[in-house]
Amino acid sequence: MESGAVDLDAARRVSGSTPDAGVAPGRLLGIDFGGTKMAVGVADGSGRLLAAERIATQADRGARQALDRALDLAGKLLGRTGGRLAAAGIASPGVIRPDGIDLAPNVPGWERLRLADAVRDRFGVAEVAVANDLNAAALAELRLGLLQDVDPGLVVGLGTGVAAAVTTRGTVLSGQGGAAGEIGYAVTGAGWSGPESMLERVFSGGALDRLAATFGLTGGAAALCAEAATPGPAREALCDRLDELARHLVTCCLLIDPRRVVLVGGVAGSPLVRELLAERLAEVLPYRPEIVLSGFPDDAALLGAVTMAGELASAPEQV
């Protein structure tokens, strides 16, 4: 199916839930680019979503077609909602540079895209913000979700890939090169370097899809998690993979001592994954954070993109 609706009613409830936020004139555009799917939303000046849809990325067809189709959808939604576009926010995998994107291997050619320029050229809007997708999700949790008044916080994305984002003092920590939280590159297993030694190759949506196929399961990671609900080889294999993830999250928690860990992404929707992960962290951490599922686990990055657009549009003009 080419397109599907975002949970617009739920997104409206959270996206307009900050009463003290500055109200920007005009429309706000948010785009969340993912390795499996892309979500596009248009909000009013207060950040309340008016229209949103999700489409498949079709990563095997390359980056350019994905970008073009997302922009086509954005144009359709902007036409449907009317009004002047004031600002846009973009959430993307990888580390964003002015002339490209690093660490985004899931869509061939993604590293060559200039997302902000593409949005400016298509829609004639000057104000465009671009951020890593999990950092955008973390911003949504800070402004609208489960990290309001929580410091420090940790957001863990379990989607096509795996990553983390640290929040402190009302901001998302980006790091000196913009790569803070890229735990998918953490070393795991017996090797020291190369793709097979990366955590993302062991535990992520893509890794679990491949593991599901070895058991003859159709339906990818979701089917694997369903099969693993009862004792057997699938459960043992999933637990082995989850142990690797848990070891790295234990280190993250020991390093920053978060009050709360918020899980986002499709794999995080599995109650079994959340239960097993919480058990492992509780077993070893001296100070145990809450481990919770986001109130908008599939739409956090989109809401973060809209939030970025709103903050950009309502920021005081620099003299």
Side-chain angles (χ1 to χ4, degrees), residues 36-37 48 57 76-77 85 94 101 108-109 127 162 170 180 208 225 235 260 264 282 306:
T36 303
K37 60 184 181 295
R48 191 180 76 98
T57 305
K76 182 183 79 170
L77 297 183
L85 179 59
I101 303 169
E127 303 288 355
V162 57
L208 297 185
C225 292
R235 185 183 183 94
R260 183 173 293 153
V264 301
V306 170

Side-chain angles (χ1 to χ4, degrees), residues 253-271:
C253 290
L254 291 172
L255 185 63
I256 68 171
D257 190 21
R259 281 181 54 193
R260 183 173 293 153
V261 177
V262 181
L263 304 179
V264 301
V267 177
S270 164

Side-chain angles (χ1 to χ4, degrees), residues 4 9 23 30 33 48 50 54 86 98 107 154 158 166 188 196 209 212 216 234 263-264 278 285 289 292 294 296 305:
D9 289 338
V23 176
F33 290 103
R48 191 180 76 98
L50 304 173
R54 186 180 289 118
V107 183
L154 182 66
L158 304 177
V166 176
T188 188
E196 296 306 319
D209 286 346
L263 304 179
V264 301
L285 287 175
V292 297
S294 169
F296 34 86

Side-chain angles (χ1 to χ4, degrees), residues 216-268:
L217 299 171
T218 58
L224 177 69
C225 292
E227 181 73 14
T230 56
R235 185 183 183 94
E236 293 173 5
L238 177 64
C239 287
D240 285 344
R241 299 294 187 93
L242 194 136
D243 284 346
E244 289 293 333
L245 172 67
R247 290 185 182 99
H248 291 285
L249 292 187
V250 163
T251 301
C252 290
C253 290
L254 291 172
L255 185 63
I256 68 171
D257 190 21
R259 281 181 54 193
R260 183 173 293 153
V261 177
V262 181
L263 304 179
V264 301
V267 177

Side-chain angles (χ1 to χ4, degrees), residues 105-253:
N106 291 318
V107 183
W110 202 255
E111 69 280 357
R112 296 190 295 273
L113 297 181
R114 299 187 179 189
L115 298 175
D117 288 347
V119 171
R120 290 189 185 103
D121 292 345
R122 175 69 72 95
F123 300 112
V125 60
E127 303 288 355
V128 182
V130 187
N132 168 269
D133 52 358
L134 195 63
N135 286 355
L139 180 66
E141 294 296 341
L142 275 174
R143 300 289 187 265
L144 311 168
L146 296 176
L147 292 182
Q148 296 179 86
D149 302 318
V150 172
D151 190 22
L154 182 66
V155 179
V156 179
L158 304 177
T160 303
V162 57
V166 176
T167 64
T168 182
R169 299 183 180 180
T171 63
V172 182
L173 181 67
S174 61
Q176 66 93 16
E182 290 285 355
I183 62 171
Y185 290 84
V187 178
T188 188
W192 178 247
S193 63
E196 296 306 319
S197 68
M198 291 166 43
L199 177 61
E200 188 163 304
R201 297 288 295 182
V202 175
F203 194 99
S204 63
L208 297 185
D209 286 346
R210 293 188 292 273
L211 182 60
T214 68
F215 290 101
L217 299 171
T218 58
L224 177 69
C225 292
E227 181 73 14
T230 56
R235 185 183 183 94
E236 293 173 5
L238 177 64
C239 287
D240 285 344
R241 299 294 187 93
L242 194 136
D243 284 346
E244 289 293 333
L245 172 67
R247 290 185 182 99
H248 291 285
L249 292 187
V250 163
T251 301
C252 290
C253 290

